[in-house]
Amino acid sequence: MTDKEIEDAFYTNLEFGTAGMRGILGAGTNRMNIYTVRKANVGFAKYLLTKPNAKEKGVAIGYDNRHMSYRFAMESAKVLATYGIKSFVFESLRPTPELSFAVRYLKCAGGIMITASHNPKEYNGYKVYWEDGAQITPPHDTGIMAEVQAVTDYADVKTMDKLEEISN
């Protein structure tokens, strides 16, 4: 990497916006990687825990065919599990509308879709859905963003060690 590429990868944190976050895959705090996905999940989990029955209702998680989508979906479930929130992870690739349906059908507290939609192939994304199956809107977006921004040390983010533990 050149000095300019290193600076771009680390000069800021990848922003968690209204519907979630998306960015170029790669190393750095300004990139989509397992660490930025884990951080986003900590914020989402902490915000969900302010809702009654969020642990029991759980979160539906879908993913598309972009590079790292399955891994990001599994990392999401592992972080949520550390907060006692169950996850319903699709067995295979799914379109975004199916995630919205699953959130409503399963009566989940929320949902996560790993996709970068129309962005170039170098990108991936993390979109958050509310219990109504729609992308998050105010006041939930700002509440989740505040929780994500409160995570200041990536080393403090905990995940389940084994995927088998998620289903227990």
Side-chain angles (χ1 to χ4, degrees):
M1 291 178 91
T2 67
D3 287 347
K4 186 174 180 171
E5 290 170 324
I6 292 170
E7 180 181 349
D8 186 57
F10 288 94
Y11 84 98
T12 189
N13 290 325
L14 189 62
E15 288 196 24
F16 192 95
T18 303
M21 63 183 187
R22 66 193 53 79
I24 298 170
L25 291 162
T29 58
N30 191 32
R31 297 289 184 263
M32 281 292 295
N33 54 60
I34 63 168
Y35 303 104
T36 55
V37 169
R38 286 175 179 171
K39 180 179 174 180
N41 278 290
V42 169
F44 188 36
K46 286 184 174 183
Y47 187 78
L48 280 176
L49 291 177
T50 65
K51 290 185 55 173
N53 303 319
K55 286 183 179 184
E56 297 78 23
K57 288 182 174 183
V59 172
I61 303 174
Y63 55 95
D64 66 9
N65 65 341
R66 291 206 175 230
H67 187 62
M68 298 291 291
S69 287
Y70 176 76
R71 176 78 188 271
F72 292 162
M74 296 286 68
E75 290 299 322
S76 296
K78 288 166 52 175
V79 170
L80 294 175
T82 65
Y83 288 89
I85 301 170
K86 69 179 173 179
S87 296
F88 301 95
V89 183
F90 280 102
E91 295 176 331
S92 60
L93 308 175
R94 292 294 195 269
T96 301
E98 196 167 346
L99 181 272
S100 292
F101 174 80
V103 169
R104 293 187 313 272
Y105 182 79
L106 297 171
K107 297 178 175 49
C108 292
I112 298 167
M113 185 67 193
I114 307 296
T115 181
S117 304
H118 61 280
N119 290 285
K121 65 181 179 176
E122 299 82 18
Y123 284 69
N124 208 335
Y126 172 96
K127 293 182 179 181
V128 179
Y129 292 76
W130 202 239
E131 64 188 348
D132 60 0
Q135 289 183 7
I136 54 171
T137 58
H140 307 300
D141 58 349
T142 55
I144 295 168
M145 284 186 260
E147 292 290 353
V148 173
Q149 291 168 354
V151 179
T152 58
D153 189 344
Y154 290 91
D156 290 338
V157 175
K158 305 294 183 234
T159 66
M160 287 289 200
D161 290 334
K162 297 179 183 172
L163 292 177
E164 302 89 56
E165 294 179 25
I166 293 171
S167 62
N168 293 337

